[in-house]
Amino acid sequence: MDRAADAQELPRRIDLAGCSNLRDLGGYRGADGRRVRMGQLFRASSLAALTDADLEILGGLGLRTVVDLRGVAERERAPSCLLGPPPEVVSLPVEPTVGASLRDLLLRGNATGEDVLALLARAYDAYATEKLPQFRALLALAAAPERRPLLFHCTAGKDRTGFASALLLIALGVEREVVIEDYLATNRLWRRERSLPPGTPDAVAEALLSAHAPLLEAALDRAMAGHRDEAGFLAGALGLGPAALHALRAALLE
């Protein structure tokens, strides 16, 4: 199957009523032409509004671990809806760094889409720098056989989850162009289950609720800055030296 065919079939979405951005990270072509295994890694938006039917479908995935990337206040406002026997939930909070600024911006009334993108760029820069240890911890969980199948999520499944997905796919040898395509799939899959203040300008809402390739590209470049190459980044920043990387790929590629 060529890349054009891949693009038509992937990512594989799992339809739920209460979570519109749940998908399997499997199927993409990674290192040595092998494909990422299906049924092992999943990315999602909030799990706070799952229906009984959703819970049955989710239970069928056999999840052992759910990693919650949301901040403490986000989790308290919208606790995940997981019933028994539930997978172990691991909190790796990537606290919003521009939340107050964003609220002020939305309430100001004269904000532009460019203003929102500038704030989001600051958030993505934080993912690539001060918040990188949380993403490293997520990759360590994904690498542990006893932790899989594993699902990770934030609120929209767009920004923090998008950056995490990109790191995982890069570690598995997926081409960056394909990584970006997976990230942008949020724009057609996510139903934008997020309320904004009344009167929010359309351009502001569109900027805030969309995935933007330049943001992810810049964050990946920022994260890799100072490393001699991608292998150096994976080893130095993410703890995936040659042996660990080989084991990860052996487990998750076929």
Side-chain angles (χ1 to χ4, degrees):
M1 185 184 295
D2 59 22
R3 284 195 60 244
D6 284 352
Q8 293 174 3
E9 296 186 7
L10 299 173
R12 182 172 294 177
R13 179 182 180 180
I14 299 167
D15 290 319
L16 300 180
C19 176
S20 63
N21 204 8
L22 170 59
R23 33 193 161 121
D24 195 320
L25 269 189
Y28 293 116
R29 195 179 301 277
D32 305 319
R34 294 174 291 169
R35 291 189 181 276
V36 181
R37 292 181 187 275
M38 289 285 188
Q40 293 297 301
L41 299 173
F42 300 88
R43 56 175 292 176
S45 51
S46 172
L47 304 177
L50 300 179
T51 66
D52 289 343
D54 292 341
L55 289 169
E56 185 174 346
I57 294 171
L58 203 63
L61 300 180
L63 297 175
R64 292 181 177 176
T65 311
V66 170
V67 179
D68 194 338
L69 298 173
R70 296 177 300 167
V72 173
E74 290 174 281
R75 295 199 311 274
E76 292 176 348
R77 285 195 302 269
S80 294
C81 180
L82 296 170
L83 299 180
E88 180 179 355
V89 177
V90 177
S91 176
L92 293 177
V94 181
E95 294 287 352
T97 56
V98 296
S101 299
L102 184 57
R103 285 192 296 273
D104 291 344
L105 191 66
L106 293 175
L107 293 172
R108 201 172 72 195
N110 62 347
T112 66
E114 288 74 17
D115 293 331
V116 172
L117 287 174
L119 279 180
L120 289 175
R122 283 170 48 194
Y124 274 72
D125 187 75
Y127 303 160
T129 53
E130 63 187 275
K131 306 296 185 182
L132 199 57
Q134 285 93 313
F135 294 103
R136 174 174 174 152
L138 170 59
L139 264 68
L141 290 170
E146 68 276 10
R147 290 289 187 175
R148 299 191 302 265
L150 176 146
L151 178 150
F152 57 98
H153 74 98
C154 55
T155 296
K158 175 173 73 76
D159 301 311
R160 290 164 289 188
T161 296
F163 186 69
S165 298
L167 294 181
L168 273 165
L169 291 175
I170 287 170
L172 293 171
V174 177
E175 294 180 5
R176 186 183 282 207
E177 180 182 354
V178 178
V179 170
I180 299 298
E181 289 173 0
D182 177 79
Y183 167 77
L184 291 175
T186 285
N187 290 336
R188 68 177 189 273
L189 299 179
W190 183 44
R191 290 191 295 263
R192 298 184 170 186
E193 301 104 334
R194 177 171 179 173
S195 60
L196 298 177
T200 299
D202 290 344
V204 169
E206 184 63 26
L208 181 60
L209 300 176
S210 297
H212 304 275
L215 294 179
L216 180 60
E217 291 273 20
L220 291 174
D221 289 343
R222 180 83 159 94
M224 294 184 188
H227 299 279
R228 67 183 184 278
D229 53 22
E230 190 173 281
F233 164 69
L234 293 173
L238 299 181
L240 293 172
L245 185 62
H246 176 79
L248 179 73
R249 291 178 173 180
L252 290 173
L253 295 175
E254 59 184 4

